[in-house]
Amino acid sequence: MAYRHLVRPRYGEIDMQQVVFNAHYLAYCDDAADLWFRAIDADLEGGGWDVMVKKVVVTWSGAARLHDELAIDLTVPRWGDTSFDVRFVGTVADAPIFEADITYVAVRTGTTKTRRVPDSFRAAAS
């Protein structure tokens, strides 16, 4: 199941070059993933599991600007036993802006102890 998240960059997210400052893209990805994961599993933390970020790779090919409609599409290209990757593809009016690959590790809620990604989540996000 793919997911789309829309963002409209605000004035405070724009840098001196009049584009979205790079660090904000990871905040956008975090918001998108959080909303997608909760749409799949509304009891994410209460169900005994949560996720932690292990690795992030971001590549920019363009820039979003103030009030653009930045569309971020999310998919899961890799599943492991206790981890999975989410690919984020950001576009403005179909023009490529960025791609990010984030590796998440499933952990027991409130800890850093890894656990298996729940099968129900895996099935819903595939």
Side-chain angles (χ1 to χ4, degrees), residues 48-52 82 105-116:
W49 82 290
D50 199 355
V51 294
M52 293 182 72
T82 61
V105 176
V107 296
R108 298 184 192 287
T109 301
T111 75
T112 59
K113 294 181 181 167
T114 60
R115 60 154 288 169
R116 181 171 165 74

Side-chain angles (χ1 to χ4, degrees), residues 14 21 31-32 40-41 79 82 86 89 100 103 106:
I14 305 302
F21 180 67
D31 287 343
I40 293 169
D41 184 352
W79 289 102
T82 61
V86 176
V89 177
T103 300

Side-chain angles (χ1 to χ4, degrees), residues 40 79-84 116-126:
I40 293 169
W79 289 102
D81 187 46
T82 61
S83 67
F84 58 99
R116 181 171 165 74
V117 177
D119 291 334
S120 58
F121 181 84
R122 186 186 306 260
S126 293

